[in-house]
Every structure is written in structure tokens, then in C-alpha cells.
Amino acid sequence: MIKTVIFDMDGVIVDTEPVHHYAYLQHFKALNIDVSPEMYASFTGNSTKNIYEKLKALFDLKENVNDLVETKRNLFNDAFDSKEDLYLLDGVLDLIQDLHQKGMQLVLGSSSAKVTIDRIFRRFDLHQYFSHIVSGEDFPKSKPHPAIFLHAAEISQTNTRNCIVIEDSTNGVLAANAAGIYCIGYDSVNSKMQDYSTANRVVSHFGELNFEMIRSIVG
């Protein structure tokens, strides 16, 4: 029986990808580096720090990784605060409220920084539903490494067999697989070049999920 649902955030709860993409492109332009769409897609699910560690090595960037991260974060925050047409993904709030009201523990396992998670959670008043928030910035390796999901299960005091992960990225699905946690791949209209072939189940709308169905999953 499932006791804890671990949600990814970007692309699952809210589609901040266009804001991240804008911020990254502005920064790439300022750094004078050419990041292909395929390379950019391969970063999905990685923490900002890990992305810039890879870019620093690939393009021999002289800037400090922490400074690169801070610049990108400021670009994101400015764009996020000015973007009025930013909404929760269709059906996700209904699912979150249904699970929470019926006693399912909800945990966030996102590669985003804590300050970004808090910014989004405050904007949409989501703190009330989640018992724990796990940020990828606390781990040396990003998804597909399983650390973030293993820690989410540990702090929720739930055996991995009694957890599920909801993910929208290749790296996130692989991280759930590596953690031995049942994974639901969310293949939304916003998903680009992501592989859900190793997910245990794939949905394209949150209306396909509910408390009774999730609770009965055998991990």
C-alpha cells in the first residue's frame, strides 16, 4: 500500500520551464556559449549547480560555478516575478488536495534550489499540503542519481516500497528507478525529448490519478 507520494516540481506541479529556458538563454548569450537544444534537453532534472559544473567543463568557463548559479537565479527570479501567466498544471491541485485530504503524505523532491521552491510554493500556497521539501541543491549529484528520492523516503519515514514518484523527465524517471521506487511518468504537452520507457506507468493528465488508485499500487 502506498503511503507517500513524492512529487517533482518543474514540469509536474508548475510549468516553470519557459522561465528557466529564458533565464538560461539570456545567460548563455552573455557567456557567449552555444548550447544546442539536445544538450539543453539532457539537463532536464539536473540541479542548476550541476548544469553549470558541466558547462564550465565543456566550455572552459572562467567564472566560478557559484557565481554562474547566482547570475542565472537572479535572471530567473526577475522573469518569474514579472510573468503573470504562470499557473499550476491542469489537474495537479485537485490531485494534491485529494491526496492530502485523505491522509496521503506528500513530499516534494525537486532539483530546484530551496529559494526557487519557496518562491513557487508561496505564490501558489502549496506549503500546507507537503510534509517535507527536498531540494537537489543539498546533494552533490543530481538526478538520475537516486539520492534525492532516497532521502525523501527516509525523512518521510516510509519504506521505498510504500512510496511512488511522479516525474516528467528522463533523469527523474531514472532516479526513481535507481531508488527502487514505483514511478509514474507525467507525459504532458510541455514535455520535450524525454523518455518514459522505464516508468511503471505513464499518464498525460492528472485526472487519470486519484487517491484510491494510488493507494492500491503495489511497489
Short mmCIF file of all heavy atoms in Angstrom, two decimals, residues 8-19 21 40-41 44 83 85-92 167-170 186-196 203-206:
data_model
loop_
_atom_site.label_atom_id
_atom_site.label_comp_id
_atom_site.label_asym_id
_atom_site.label_seq_id
_atom_site.Cartn_x
_atom_site.Cartn_y
_atom_site.Cartn_z
N ASP A 8 7.87 15.62 -8.16
CA ASP A 8 8.81 16.57 -8.74
C ASP A 8 8.04 17.90 -8.83
O ASP A 8 6.82 17.93 -8.67
CB ASP A 8 9.25 16.09 -10.12
CG ASP A 8 10.20 17.05 -10.80
OD1 ASP A 8 11.07 17.60 -10.11
OD2 ASP A 8 10.05 17.25 -12.02
N MET A 9 8.73 19.00 -9.10
CA MET A 9 8.04 20.29 -9.17
C MET A 9 7.97 20.84 -10.59
O MET A 9 6.88 20.96 -11.16
CB MET A 9 8.70 21.32 -8.25
CG MET A 9 7.95 22.66 -8.20
SD MET A 9 8.70 23.84 -7.06
CE MET A 9 10.21 24.24 -7.95
N ASP A 10 9.13 21.19 -11.17
CA ASP A 10 9.14 21.79 -12.50
C ASP A 10 8.65 20.79 -13.54
O ASP A 10 9.22 19.72 -13.70
CB ASP A 10 10.55 22.26 -12.86
CG ASP A 10 11.01 23.41 -11.98
OD1 ASP A 10 10.19 24.32 -11.74
OD2 ASP A 10 12.16 23.40 -11.53
N GLY A 11 7.56 21.14 -14.23
CA GLY A 11 7.00 20.26 -15.23
C GLY A 11 5.98 19.29 -14.70
O GLY A 11 5.31 18.60 -15.48
N VAL A 12 5.84 19.22 -13.36
CA VAL A 12 4.83 18.34 -12.75
C VAL A 12 3.79 19.16 -12.01
O VAL A 12 2.58 18.98 -12.21
CB VAL A 12 5.49 17.32 -11.80
CG1 VAL A 12 4.43 16.53 -11.02
CG2 VAL A 12 6.37 16.35 -12.59
N ILE A 13 4.24 20.06 -11.16
CA ILE A 13 3.31 20.91 -10.42
C ILE A 13 3.08 22.22 -11.15
O ILE A 13 1.94 22.71 -11.27
CB ILE A 13 3.83 21.17 -8.99
CG1 ILE A 13 3.81 19.86 -8.18
CG2 ILE A 13 2.99 22.23 -8.28
CD1 ILE A 13 4.38 19.98 -6.78
N VAL A 14 4.14 22.81 -11.65
CA VAL A 14 4.04 24.08 -12.37
C VAL A 14 5.01 24.05 -13.54
O VAL A 14 6.09 23.46 -13.44
CB VAL A 14 4.33 25.27 -11.43
CG1 VAL A 14 5.74 25.20 -10.87
CG2 VAL A 14 4.08 26.61 -12.12
N ASP A 15 4.61 24.64 -14.66
CA ASP A 15 5.48 24.65 -15.83
C ASP A 15 6.35 25.91 -15.81
O ASP A 15 6.03 26.90 -16.46
CB ASP A 15 4.67 24.58 -17.12
CG ASP A 15 5.59 24.49 -18.35
OD1 ASP A 15 6.74 24.04 -18.18
OD2 ASP A 15 5.15 24.89 -19.44
N THR A 16 7.42 25.85 -15.03
CA THR A 16 8.37 26.97 -14.99
C THR A 16 9.45 26.83 -16.06
O THR A 16 10.32 27.70 -16.15
CB THR A 16 9.05 27.05 -13.61
OG1 THR A 16 9.59 25.77 -13.29
CG2 THR A 16 8.07 27.48 -12.53
N GLU A 17 9.38 25.76 -16.85
CA GLU A 17 10.43 25.54 -17.84
C GLU A 17 10.62 26.74 -18.79
O GLU A 17 11.75 27.12 -19.07
CB GLU A 17 10.16 24.27 -18.64
CG GLU A 17 11.07 24.03 -19.83
CD GLU A 17 12.56 24.12 -19.50
OE1 GLU A 17 12.96 23.83 -18.36
OE2 GLU A 17 13.33 24.50 -20.41
N PRO A 18 9.54 27.38 -19.29
CA PRO A 18 9.77 28.55 -20.15
C PRO A 18 10.53 29.67 -19.44
O PRO A 18 11.33 30.36 -20.08
CB PRO A 18 8.35 28.99 -20.52
CG PRO A 18 7.52 27.78 -20.39
CD PRO A 18 8.11 27.03 -19.22
N VAL A 19 10.31 29.83 -18.14
CA VAL A 19 11.01 30.86 -17.39
C VAL A 19 12.48 30.47 -17.22
O VAL A 19 13.39 31.29 -17.41
CB VAL A 19 10.36 31.09 -16.01
CG1 VAL A 19 10.98 32.31 -15.32
CG2 VAL A 19 8.85 31.29 -16.14
N HIS A 21 14.12 28.44 -19.17
CA HIS A 21 14.71 28.46 -20.51
C HIS A 21 15.11 29.89 -20.89
O HIS A 21 16.22 30.11 -21.40
CB HIS A 21 13.72 27.90 -21.52
CG HIS A 21 14.30 27.65 -22.87
ND1 HIS A 21 13.82 28.24 -24.01
CD2 HIS A 21 15.36 26.89 -23.26
CE1 HIS A 21 14.54 27.85 -25.05
NE2 HIS A 21 15.48 27.03 -24.63
N TYR A 40 20.63 20.97 -24.05
CA TYR A 40 19.76 21.59 -23.04
C TYR A 40 18.74 20.59 -22.52
O TYR A 40 18.50 20.51 -21.31
CB TYR A 40 19.06 22.81 -23.63
CG TYR A 40 18.22 23.56 -22.62
CD1 TYR A 40 18.80 24.48 -21.74
CD2 TYR A 40 16.84 23.34 -22.52
CE1 TYR A 40 18.04 25.15 -20.80
CE2 TYR A 40 16.08 24.00 -21.58
CZ TYR A 40 16.68 24.91 -20.73
OH TYR A 40 15.92 25.56 -19.79
N ALA A 41 18.15 19.79 -23.42
CA ALA A 41 17.15 18.79 -23.01
C ALA A 41 17.77 17.75 -22.09
O ALA A 41 17.11 17.24 -21.18
CB ALA A 41 16.54 18.12 -24.24
N THR A 44 17.58 18.38 -18.24
CA THR A 44 16.30 18.37 -17.53
C THR A 44 16.37 17.44 -16.32
O THR A 44 16.75 16.27 -16.44
CB THR A 44 15.15 17.92 -18.46
OG1 THR A 44 15.11 18.77 -19.60
CG2 THR A 44 13.81 17.99 -17.73
N LYS A 83 6.22 37.49 -14.65
CA LYS A 83 5.38 36.64 -15.50
C LYS A 83 4.03 36.41 -14.82
O LYS A 83 3.93 35.66 -13.85
CB LYS A 83 6.07 35.31 -15.78
CG LYS A 83 5.34 34.44 -16.82
CD LYS A 83 6.19 33.23 -17.19
CE LYS A 83 5.48 32.30 -18.17
NZ LYS A 83 5.14 32.96 -19.44
N ASP A 85 1.24 35.15 -16.37
CA ASP A 85 0.54 33.97 -16.91
C ASP A 85 1.28 32.69 -16.54
O ASP A 85 1.68 31.90 -17.39
CB ASP A 85 0.35 34.08 -18.41
CG ASP A 85 1.67 34.22 -19.16
OD1 ASP A 85 2.63 34.75 -18.57
OD2 ASP A 85 1.74 33.79 -20.33
N LEU A 86 1.45 32.48 -15.24
CA LEU A 86 2.09 31.27 -14.74
C LEU A 86 1.10 30.55 -13.83
O LEU A 86 0.63 31.12 -12.84
CB LEU A 86 3.36 31.62 -13.96
CG LEU A 86 4.26 30.45 -13.52
CD1 LEU A 86 4.85 29.74 -14.73
CD2 LEU A 86 5.37 30.94 -12.62
N TYR A 87 0.75 29.33 -14.19
CA TYR A 87 -0.30 28.60 -13.47
C TYR A 87 0.17 27.20 -13.10
O TYR A 87 1.09 26.66 -13.70
CB TYR A 87 -1.55 28.49 -14.35
CG TYR A 87 -2.01 29.79 -14.94
CD1 TYR A 87 -1.75 30.10 -16.28
CD2 TYR A 87 -2.69 30.74 -14.17
CE1 TYR A 87 -2.16 31.30 -16.84
CE2 TYR A 87 -3.11 31.94 -14.71
CZ TYR A 87 -2.84 32.21 -16.04
OH TYR A 87 -3.24 33.41 -16.59
N LEU A 88 -0.52 26.62 -12.11
CA LEU A 88 -0.30 25.21 -11.82
C LEU A 88 -0.79 24.39 -13.00
O LEU A 88 -1.72 24.78 -13.71
CB LEU A 88 -1.07 24.81 -10.55
CG LEU A 88 -0.63 25.49 -9.25
CD1 LEU A 88 -1.50 25.01 -8.10
CD2 LEU A 88 0.84 25.22 -8.95
N LEU A 89 -0.14 23.25 -13.22
CA LEU A 89 -0.53 22.41 -14.35
C LEU A 89 -1.93 21.85 -14.14
O LEU A 89 -2.37 21.59 -13.01
CB LEU A 89 0.50 21.30 -14.55
CG LEU A 89 1.83 21.82 -15.11
CD1 LEU A 89 2.91 20.76 -15.03
CD2 LEU A 89 1.67 22.28 -16.55
N ASP A 90 -2.62 21.67 -15.24
CA ASP A 90 -4.04 21.30 -15.21
C ASP A 90 -4.28 20.01 -14.42
O ASP A 90 -3.71 18.97 -14.73
CB ASP A 90 -4.54 21.12 -16.65
CG ASP A 90 -6.05 21.04 -16.73
OD1 ASP A 90 -6.73 21.58 -15.83
OD2 ASP A 90 -6.57 20.43 -17.69
N GLY A 91 -5.09 20.10 -13.38
CA GLY A 91 -5.49 18.94 -12.60
C GLY A 91 -4.60 18.61 -11.42
O GLY A 91 -4.98 17.81 -10.57
N VAL A 92 -3.42 19.23 -11.33
CA VAL A 92 -2.48 18.82 -10.28
C VAL A 92 -2.95 19.28 -8.90
O VAL A 92 -2.78 18.56 -7.91
CB VAL A 92 -1.04 19.30 -10.57
CG1 VAL A 92 -0.88 20.79 -10.35
CG2 VAL A 92 -0.05 18.52 -9.71
N GLU A 167 7.09 12.02 -11.95
CA GLU A 167 8.19 12.70 -12.64
C GLU A 167 7.86 12.97 -14.10
O GLU A 167 7.09 12.23 -14.72
CB GLU A 167 9.46 11.84 -12.59
CG GLU A 167 10.43 12.21 -11.50
CD GLU A 167 11.18 13.51 -11.78
OE1 GLU A 167 11.00 14.08 -12.88
OE2 GLU A 167 11.93 13.94 -10.91
N ASP A 168 8.47 14.02 -14.65
CA ASP A 168 8.25 14.35 -16.06
C ASP A 168 9.51 14.28 -16.90
O ASP A 168 9.46 14.53 -18.11
CB ASP A 168 7.65 15.75 -16.20
CG ASP A 168 8.69 16.84 -15.95
OD1 ASP A 168 9.40 16.75 -14.92
OD2 ASP A 168 8.79 17.77 -16.77
N SER A 169 10.67 13.94 -16.29
CA SER A 169 11.92 13.96 -17.04
C SER A 169 12.57 12.59 -17.10
O SER A 169 12.36 11.74 -16.22
CB SER A 169 12.91 14.95 -16.41
OG SER A 169 13.42 14.45 -15.18
N THR A 170 13.36 12.38 -18.13
CA THR A 170 14.15 11.15 -18.24
C THR A 170 15.00 10.93 -17.00
O THR A 170 15.00 9.84 -16.41
CB THR A 170 15.08 11.23 -19.48
OG1 THR A 170 14.31 11.47 -20.65
CG2 THR A 170 15.88 9.94 -19.64
N TYR A 186 4.88 11.54 -16.05
CA TYR A 186 3.88 12.51 -16.50
C TYR A 186 4.30 13.07 -17.85
O TYR A 186 5.20 13.92 -17.94
CB TYR A 186 3.72 13.62 -15.46
CG TYR A 186 2.79 14.73 -15.89
CD1 TYR A 186 1.51 14.45 -16.37
CD2 TYR A 186 3.18 16.07 -15.81
CE1 TYR A 186 0.65 15.47 -16.75
CE2 TYR A 186 2.33 17.10 -16.19
CZ TYR A 186 1.07 16.79 -16.67
OH TYR A 186 0.21 17.80 -17.06
N ASP A 187 3.67 12.58 -18.89
CA ASP A 187 4.00 12.97 -20.27
C ASP A 187 3.02 14.07 -20.69
O ASP A 187 1.99 13.81 -21.28
CB ASP A 187 3.88 11.75 -21.19
CG ASP A 187 4.31 12.06 -22.62
OD1 ASP A 187 4.81 13.17 -22.86
OD2 ASP A 187 4.13 11.18 -23.48
N SER A 188 3.38 15.30 -20.37
CA SER A 188 2.48 16.42 -20.63
C SER A 188 2.74 17.03 -21.99
O SER A 188 3.71 16.69 -22.67
CB SER A 188 2.66 17.49 -19.55
OG SER A 188 3.83 18.25 -19.78
N VAL A 189 1.90 17.98 -22.37
CA VAL A 189 2.10 18.68 -23.64
C VAL A 189 3.38 19.50 -23.62
O VAL A 189 3.90 19.89 -24.67
CB VAL A 189 0.90 19.59 -23.95
CG1 VAL A 189 -0.36 18.77 -24.18
CG2 VAL A 189 0.67 20.61 -22.83
N ASN A 190 3.89 19.77 -22.41
CA ASN A 190 5.12 20.56 -22.29
C ASN A 190 6.39 19.72 -22.35
O ASN A 190 7.49 20.27 -22.44
CB ASN A 190 5.11 21.34 -20.96
CG ASN A 190 3.88 22.22 -20.82
OD1 ASN A 190 3.58 22.99 -21.70
ND2 ASN A 190 3.16 22.06 -19.71
N SER A 191 6.24 18.40 -22.26
CA SER A 191 7.41 17.51 -22.23
C SER A 191 8.09 17.50 -23.59
O SER A 191 7.43 17.37 -24.63
CB SER A 191 6.99 16.09 -21.85
OG SER A 191 6.35 16.08 -20.59
N LYS A 192 9.41 17.62 -23.59
CA LYS A 192 10.15 17.64 -24.84
C LYS A 192 11.36 16.71 -24.73
O LYS A 192 12.17 16.83 -23.82
CB LYS A 192 10.63 19.06 -25.16
CG LYS A 192 9.50 20.06 -25.39
CD LYS A 192 10.04 21.45 -25.66
CE LYS A 192 8.92 22.45 -25.92
NZ LYS A 192 8.10 22.70 -24.72
N MET A 193 11.44 15.77 -25.66
CA MET A 193 12.60 14.87 -25.78
C MET A 193 12.90 14.12 -24.49
O MET A 193 14.05 13.96 -24.09
CB MET A 193 13.84 15.64 -26.25
CG MET A 193 13.72 16.16 -27.67
SD MET A 193 15.25 16.92 -28.31
CE MET A 193 15.18 18.54 -27.57
N GLN A 194 11.84 13.68 -23.77
CA GLN A 194 12.02 12.91 -22.54
C GLN A 194 11.59 11.47 -22.77
O GLN A 194 10.70 11.19 -23.56
CB GLN A 194 11.24 13.55 -21.39
CG GLN A 194 11.62 14.99 -21.11
CD GLN A 194 13.09 15.17 -20.79
OE1 GLN A 194 13.63 14.53 -19.90
NE2 GLN A 194 13.76 16.05 -21.53
N ASP A 195 12.22 10.55 -22.05
CA ASP A 195 12.00 9.11 -22.24
C ASP A 195 11.31 8.54 -20.99
O ASP A 195 11.86 8.57 -19.90
CB ASP A 195 13.35 8.42 -22.45
CG ASP A 195 13.23 6.92 -22.64
OD1 ASP A 195 12.09 6.41 -22.76
OD2 ASP A 195 14.28 6.24 -22.67
N TYR A 196 10.10 8.00 -21.19
CA TYR A 196 9.33 7.43 -20.07
C TYR A 196 9.27 5.90 -20.15
O TYR A 196 8.44 5.29 -19.47
CB TYR A 196 7.91 7.99 -20.07
CG TYR A 196 7.88 9.51 -20.03
CD1 TYR A 196 7.56 10.24 -21.17
CD2 TYR A 196 8.20 10.20 -18.87
CE1 TYR A 196 7.55 11.63 -21.15
CE2 TYR A 196 8.20 11.59 -18.83
CZ TYR A 196 7.88 12.29 -19.97
OH TYR A 196 7.88 13.66 -19.94
N VAL A 203 1.11 8.73 -17.55
CA VAL A 203 -0.17 9.44 -17.69
C VAL A 203 0.09 10.74 -18.43
O VAL A 203 1.20 11.28 -18.42
CB VAL A 203 -0.82 9.74 -16.31
CG1 VAL A 203 -1.09 8.44 -15.56
CG2 VAL A 203 0.03 10.69 -15.48
N SER A 204 -0.95 11.25 -19.06
CA SER A 204 -0.83 12.51 -19.78
C SER A 204 -1.69 13.61 -19.15
O SER A 204 -1.64 14.75 -19.59
CB SER A 204 -1.21 12.33 -21.26
OG SER A 204 -2.53 11.82 -21.38
N HIS A 205 -2.47 13.24 -18.12
CA HIS A 205 -3.29 14.23 -17.40
C HIS A 205 -3.49 13.72 -15.98
O HIS A 205 -3.66 12.51 -15.74
CB HIS A 205 -4.65 14.43 -18.08
CG HIS A 205 -5.41 15.60 -17.52
ND1 HIS A 205 -6.15 15.52 -16.36
CD2 HIS A 205 -5.52 16.87 -17.95
CE1 HIS A 205 -6.69 16.70 -16.10
NE2 HIS A 205 -6.34 17.54 -17.06
N PHE A 206 -3.48 14.65 -15.02
CA PHE A 206 -3.61 14.24 -13.62
C PHE A 206 -5.00 13.72 -13.28
O PHE A 206 -5.18 13.11 -12.22
CB PHE A 206 -3.21 15.39 -12.71
CG PHE A 206 -1.73 15.64 -12.70
CD1 PHE A 206 -1.20 16.80 -13.24
CD2 PHE A 206 -0.85 14.70 -12.19
CE1 PHE A 206 0.17 17.03 -13.26
CE2 PHE A 206 0.52 14.91 -12.20
CZ PHE A 206 1.02 16.08 -12.74
#
